[in-house]
Amino acid sequence: VTHVHDVWHTTIGHVSPMNEPDYTRSDCTQEGMQVPPKQRATVVQDVGEDLAAQAPYSSVIADESSSVGTQFDPEVPQWMNVPGTSQYAAALAHHTYDLPSVTALRQAGAIAQSYGKPLWMTESCCVVTTSNGLRSRIGYDPTITGGVAMADLIARDLTQANDAAWDWWVALSAAMGCNPVRDPACPQQKNDQGWNDGLIEYDPNYGSDHNYSLYPTKRFWALGNFSKFVRPGAVRHNVSGAPTNLDVMAFQSRKSWQVLVINDDPVGAPSTALHLNLPGQTRLHAAGAFQTSATDDLASVPDPTLTSTGMTTWIPAQSVTTFLLHK
């Protein structure tokens, strides 16, 4: 950390000293590290003490459990309650590979709040929407269906666990499960052979066929609906009363609001009307709207209508839309 800071002039703000400490595989095919709960306290304390002494601009996050319901929730108190540990944990970090229930997410948020720590979702990937509405991690889906599925996970984690950060695994992947040279259309089509991990895909055979093209998925654009506009320091406000097919989130930063709306209805369903009340709406003006859908990639769309009681707009099926409102 000090080398990167002093030589490369780059500051590492947080160090995560273990990944998925519940790791039990014997084949060593994944980036895991088996650390029993009580030993996690020792790791956090030792790394935290050294960072405080040598690199006070950096601190520890932990413990990156694979699942929320069976690991993070029951195990975090086992190591955070060890005297001398909590002071070195700047944030509590979890993954969501168990596709946790609302109850488990809320418990994780309560645990973080009880220690006065922010909660971060630091790794998730590979979700698709199946015919019965459940999420799985099998297959490749670069379409808006996959983009909306990921946006739904973000919305659940931010609103139910009150996560303050959300990271996707991974940015670039060659696991599209098809050959884009033989079939140029395949990077934008679903298949059962690939893996839903990359935001952007590339040809796994680029070394031999010299195809260096990059293929953005709808996940890439849908994540942009969040990351491009909802910046560090924004405060999320609870939203109630929205139509059941919509996930609606409102964030406030200084003199502006960012309203994110996800429509889960299938492609071809009619658009849904949304009316949203916002504090101080009489002093707000529309400053842009951006949408990711089956046909649009974070494209500019018409602003909402602002009235004396709030904003009114229509949300198309299978879309993620960000509305910007400024004072």
Side-chain angles (χ1 to χ4, degrees):
V1 172
T2 56
H3 175 86
V4 171
H5 180 270
D6 297 341
V7 179
W8 297 348
H9 308 294
T10 299
T11 299
I12 296 176
H14 299 88
V15 174
S16 180
M18 66 194 92
N19 181 58
E20 299 185 351
D22 44 85
Y23 185 87
T24 57
R25 288 187 183 183
S26 59
D27 55 4
C28 294
T29 58
Q30 188 174 323
E31 307 89 336
M33 176 182 177
Q34 189 171 7
V35 185
K38 289 297 179 67
Q39 291 185 13
R40 294 173 206 173
T42 303
V43 174
V44 171
Q45 288 186 32
D46 288 352
V47 176
E49 289 174 359
D50 280 353
L51 286 174
Q54 301 181 55
Y57 42 80
S58 187
S59 53
V60 175
I61 64 170
D63 64 0
E64 309 266 6
S65 291
S66 301
S67 68
V68 176
T70 59
Q71 294 160 353
F72 182 90
D73 287 351
E75 292 176 353
V76 165
Q78 296 181 46
W79 59 268
M80 277 290 282
N81 287 342
V82 175
T85 304
S86 179
Q87 69 190 78
Y88 292 114
L92 297 178
H94 68 90
H95 300 173
T96 53
Y97 288 114
D98 57 332
L99 304 176
S101 66
V102 168
T103 299
L105 289 171
R106 290 177 178 174
Q107 184 177 351
I111 289 171
Q113 185 177 26
S114 71
Y115 293 109
K117 307 293 182 182
L119 186 65
W120 292 3
M121 202 304 294
T122 51
E123 187 179 325
S124 185
C125 91
C126 315
V127 291
V128 297
T129 304
T130 61
S131 58
N132 61 1
L134 300 176
R135 273 41 170 183
S136 74
R137 296 190 292 276
I138 300 172
Y140 171 69
D141 183 4
T143 71
I144 189 58
T145 305
V148 168
M150 183 198 68
D152 283 338
L153 282 184
I154 299 174
R156 275 169 52 89
D157 291 345
L158 266 59
T159 59
Q160 301 304 319
N162 201 31
D163 281 308
W166 202 94
D167 296 328
W168 178 262
W169 180 272
V170 61
L172 291 166
S173 173
M176 66 175 70
C178 63
N179 189 319
V181 172
R182 295 177 185 172
D183 181 4
C186 79
Q188 305 305 325
Q189 298 173 343
K190 298 180 183 180
N191 67 61
D192 295 330
Q193 288 72 48
W195 195 245
N196 245 1
D197 55 353
L199 296 173
I200 299 173
E201 299 288 328
Y202 62 92
D203 186 346
N205 304 306
Y206 72 90
S208 57
D209 63 25
H210 305 295
N211 173 26
Y212 305 117
S213 298
L214 297 177
Y215 303 95
T217 68
K218 289 293 183 178
R219 289 186 299 275
F220 172 78
W221 300 109
L223 185 60
N225 276 95
F226 291 84
S227 61
K228 186 176 177 66
F229 305 107
V230 183
R231 304 304 301 161
V235 177
R236 184 183 61 81
H237 292 257
N238 289 329
V239 176
S240 61
T244 56
N245 61 319
L246 302 183
D247 284 327
V248 183
M249 287 160 286
F251 303 87
Q252 187 177 23
S253 53
R254 295 188 178 181
K255 296 183 178 181
S256 65
W257 287 85
Q258 303 85 43
V259 178
L260 272 111
V261 187
I262 305 164
N263 188 332
D264 289 314
D265 281 347
V267 172
S271 297
T272 300
L274 172 67
H275 179 79
L276 187 66
N277 292 324
L278 289 170
Q281 71 271 11
T282 57
R283 299 188 301 275
L284 295 174
H285 68 273
F290 301 88
Q291 192 167 92
T292 299
S293 65
T295 55
D296 290 325
D297 297 331
L298 205 59
S300 179
V301 294
D303 289 335
T305 299
L306 296 185
T307 69
S308 60
T309 58
M311 62 167 266
T312 300
T313 188
W314 290 85
I315 309 297
Q318 285 290 284
S319 66
V320 185
T321 310
T322 306
F323 298 98
L324 305 180
L325 306 172
H326 292 175
K327 288 184 179 179

